[in-house]
Amino acid sequence: MLRVDSVSRPSASVIDLASYRQGESGRGVSGNVNTVSAMSSRQRAKQPASLRIENAFQHVTQLPSTVAEQLRAYQLSWARFESGLGPRPQPQIQICIPGAPDLAIQAYYTGALNWRGRHPHPLTGNWTSSILGSLPEMSFAGAAAAHAKRLDDVVMGVLPGIGNRMTLDQAVIEHVFPNCERNGKKSLRNDRYRYTKHVKRLWGSMLLNELNERVIRRGVDEIRSLETLAGAEKHVALIKFICRDLEALRLLAYNPAARIKMRRVENPVLVIPSDEQLAKLGRVLMSGPPNINNDFFLVQALTGTRSRELQYALVSDLDVNRKVLIVRETKSGRIEEVHLCDAALTVLIRRKSLATGRYLFGSKRGDRPIGYPRHAFLKLCGRAGVTGITSHAFRRGFATAVVQAPGGTSHDASKLLRHSSVRTTEKFYLVATDNRLQQAANAAGQAIAHRLGLDPKGRPYLRPSVRSLVVPDHIRLVAA
C-alpha cells in the first residue's frame, strides 16, 4: 500500500481562512475560482500557496471525500505558514485513494495535481512510483487504466516510461558500460572508443523507444559504406551487443538488432618484419644518439609489448634484479609482467636514468606519458626504406621468433605476449616464414623418404642382391 505523508489538520482557532482571504482581497487577490483561472501564469505565480491549492478543489469533486479533506488540511497548513503562525509545510504531499491500492494523488503547493502509481522496479524488485498523468486532463478511470497498463509493462520487464525519456547515449553510459565493467569485459576500453567515435554519432541522441530494426539497419548500411569490411563489422558487433545488453537489462522490450547478420570477414594477412627490414631499421635506430622514440621502438621490438603498455610504464615498475617490467595499462585491465632480455633491460635502464618524472617514456611537457609515436615510426620507416609494416608488427615478429627458437612453443609465445588463450596467439600472431617452412618440409620429407627406402636425395639405398649372397666354392676354400 502506498505510504501517504499525513498532514495534521489545524484547529479552527488557529486561523480563520475566510478572514485571511478577505484580507488578501484588499491587495487585489480574489478567492473566486473563475477569476483566478482567468489570470495569467505570472499573476498566478504571485498568489499565496494556500489560494493556489484552493483552486485545485474543483478537480477532486468526483473523488471520495477523504481526498478533499486531506487537500484542505494541506491548504490550511500553508495558510498558517503564510500568516506566520506555523512552520513551512512540505512542498508536496501524496493522498491515497480509498479502494485503489498503489494509486495516489500528488498535490503540490503550486496547486498542481498529478496521478502517481506505485509498482515494483523490474531490475531491482524494489517498490517505486512514477507519474501517470495530471488532473483534470486524466480522470480517475483513466489513471486506473494507465496504472494497470504500467503494471503489465513491469511484468514484461519494461521500465515504465523510460524509453520516452532516456536516450541511447544515456543508457549506454549509465547502464551498459557499468554492467560490462562489473562482468569484467576485457574489450571494454576498445568498446568505449568505438562507441564514442562511430556508434554514438548515429544512434546516441535517439530515444530508446525510437530504436527499431529499420533505424538500426539504416545506420549499419552507412557504416558499411564508409568503413572497411573488418572495421565495419566491429562496429556492427558493438551495436548488436549494446541492444542485446539493453534487452537483458530490461531497458528495451526486444532486441531491434537481433536479425541483423554479421558478414564473414576473412582473416587478415599477417605481416612481420623480415630479416632484411629488421637490419635496415636497426641501422637507423643505432646510427644517431639515443632518443626516446628510438628506445621506445627498440623495447617494443625486443619484448613484443603493446604501445600503450610502454607509454604508461612507470620508473618504479622496472625490476632490474628479476629482469621484469610491470605493466599496468593492459588490454585486459590486469597488472601483468613483461620478461626482458638483456638488450631490452639495457635500454630501459638508460631510460630510467634519463627520466625526469614518473614515466619511463615521459613527455617533455610535464609529468605525463608520451603520446603514441605514430609519426616518429613513419619517419623511421622512411629513413630505413621500409614499407608495409606497423609498430604492432614487432609484436607478431616477436611471437614468431619465440616459436622458431630452439625449444620454443606456441604456449611460450602466448605467455610472453600475455594472451588469455593460446588460440589467439596461433591465429593472429604466429607467422610461418619461408625458412621455417623449408626446414619443416625438409625434416618431414627425410622422415618419409627413410621409410620408403630412399636416401636424402631420393635415390634408393644400395642393397645386396640375391646373387651376391651365393659364394663360389674356390672363394669359400680360400676363405677357409
Side-chain angles (χ1 to χ4, degrees):
M1 194 66 184
L2 185 64
R3 185 174 63 187
V4 180
D5 298 332
S6 60
V7 180
S8 60
R9 185 170 182 175
S11 61
S13 60
V14 175
I15 182 173
D16 186 0
L17 188 61
S19 62
Y20 175 77
R21 287 202 304 269
Q22 184 177 3
E24 290 291 332
S25 62
R27 288 182 286 178
V29 179
S30 174
N32 190 300
V33 174
N34 296 329
T35 305
V36 173
S37 61
M39 292 181 180
S40 64
S41 60
R42 180 174 300 180
Q43 289 174 330
R44 286 195 296 269
K46 294 181 179 180
Q47 287 184 298
S50 58
L51 293 182
R52 283 183 280 177
I53 296 173
E54 184 181 4
N55 298 335
F57 278 99
Q58 59 180 331
H59 306 317
V60 297
T61 56
Q62 303 297 327
L63 297 178
S65 59
T66 56
V67 176
E69 291 176 0
Q70 295 187 54
L71 189 61
R72 178 69 66 182
Y74 185 53
Q75 180 195 16
L76 290 175
S77 63
W78 270 102
R80 185 184 177 203
F81 166 72
E82 291 164 355
S83 62
L85 300 178
R88 181 182 180 89
Q90 297 178 357
Q92 60 188 21
I93 62 169
Q94 290 186 9
I95 305 173
C96 64
I97 308 298
D102 303 331
L103 190 63
I105 291 178
Q106 185 153 338
Y108 299 87
Y109 76 99
T110 60
L113 300 176
N114 286 331
W115 292 104
R116 179 173 284 273
R118 187 168 177 263
H119 55 82
H121 196 282
L123 297 183
T124 62
N126 299 329
W127 283 87
T128 183
S129 60
S130 57
I131 297 295
L132 300 173
S134 60
L135 278 81
E137 288 79 6
M138 179 179 286
S139 62
F140 174 69
H147 185 56
K149 175 64 170 59
R150 183 149 296 182
L151 292 178
D152 293 339
D153 291 342
V154 171
V155 173
M156 294 297 295
V158 181
L159 287 179
I162 194 170
N164 300 326
R165 305 188 309 271
M166 182 175 289
T167 63
L168 177 66
D169 186 46
Q170 292 174 328
V172 170
I173 299 301
E174 298 175 6
H175 298 280
V176 175
F177 285 159
N179 184 56
C180 295
E181 191 171 356
R182 287 191 298 269
N183 295 335
K185 195 172 189 297
K186 296 180 180 179
S187 60
L188 180 57
R189 179 181 289 131
N190 293 338
D191 290 346
R192 289 181 187 273
Y193 175 80
R194 293 192 184 103
Y195 171 77
T196 304
K197 295 295 183 182
H198 303 279
V199 177
K200 182 178 178 179
R201 67 178 179 84
L202 293 174
W203 301 286
S205 60
M206 300 185 64
L207 297 175
L208 291 183
N209 61 355
E210 297 177 349
L211 288 177
N212 52 52
E213 184 176 349
R214 184 178 63 180
V215 172
I216 299 295
R217 284 190 181 277
R218 187 163 58 244
V220 168
D221 293 340
E222 181 179 349
I223 289 178
R224 286 172 173 168
S225 64
L226 298 177
E227 301 286 336
T228 61
L229 180 59
E233 293 311 300
K234 290 180 181 178
H235 307 326
V236 175
L238 178 59
I239 188 60
K240 286 176 65 68
F241 165 76
I242 289 175
C243 293
R244 185 172 65 248
D245 210 15
L246 289 175
E247 182 188 18
L249 293 173
R250 298 179 180 178
L251 297 176
L252 287 177
Y254 72 101
N255 183 1
R259 297 199 303 172
I260 297 179
K261 302 297 183 182
M262 298 287 296
R263 294 180 178 177
R264 182 180 179 86
V265 180
E266 299 293 338
N267 292 334
V269 179
L270 303 181
V271 179
I272 63 172
S274 62
D275 295 342
E276 182 182 359
Q277 289 176 332
L278 285 177
K280 292 180 179 179
L281 291 173
R283 284 194 295 268
V284 175
L285 289 174
M286 305 306 295
S287 60
N291 61 68
I292 188 170
N293 289 330
N294 290 354
D295 290 346
F296 186 92
F297 298 133
L298 281 174
V299 175
Q300 197 172 14
L302 294 171
T303 60
T305 312
R306 299 183 182 92
S307 298
R308 185 177 180 84
E309 295 172 348
L310 274 186
Q311 286 177 250
Y312 288 87
L314 301 177
V315 174
S316 57
D317 291 338
L318 179 61
D319 192 340
V320 179
N321 296 328
R322 296 176 53 216
K323 294 185 178 180
V324 164
L325 176 65
I326 301 174
V327 289
R328 304 179 184 275
E329 290 290 329
T330 59
K331 189 175 182 179
S332 62
R334 300 188 300 266
I335 299 177
E336 298 173 345
E337 294 182 348
V338 178
H339 295 271
L340 306 173
C341 63
D342 293 337
L345 183 62
T346 302
V347 177
L348 289 178
I349 291 176
R350 180 169 66 240
R351 295 314 315 169
K352 182 177 181 179
S353 62
L354 298 175
T356 57
R358 294 181 301 160
Y359 299 95
L360 284 171
F361 297 92
S363 174
K364 296 180 180 180
R365 301 177 181 177
D367 190 14
R368 59 181 181 178
I370 63 171
Y372 177 61
R374 176 176 177 271
H375 296 287
F377 184 77
L378 294 177
K379 185 177 179 180
L380 171 65
C381 292
R383 292 174 56 192
V386 175
T387 58
I389 65 170
T390 62
S391 60
H392 195 70
F394 288 145
R395 187 169 171 83
R396 290 191 291 268
F398 179 79
T400 304
V402 171
V403 176
Q404 293 180 354
T409 62
S410 58
H411 183 76
D412 298 333
S414 178
K415 290 299 181 181
L416 289 174
L417 295 184
R418 303 171 303 285
H419 287 157
S420 58
S421 173
V422 180
R423 184 178 179 182
T424 303
T425 309
E426 294 175 344
K427 185 176 181 180
F428 298 105
Y429 286 86
L430 297 184
V431 179
T433 60
D434 294 339
N435 294 336
R436 183 66 174 178
L437 291 175
Q438 188 63 48
Q439 294 175 4
N442 290 338
Q446 290 177 7
I448 298 299
H450 180 73
R451 296 172 188 173
L452 294 174
L454 303 176
D455 63 5
K457 295 185 178 181
R459 298 173 298 187
Y461 286 110
L462 297 178
R463 296 179 177 177
S465 62
V466 177
R467 296 180 60 183
S468 64
L469 295 178
V470 179
V471 181
D473 293 338
H474 65 281
I475 296 179
R476 185 181 299 115
L477 293 175
V478 172

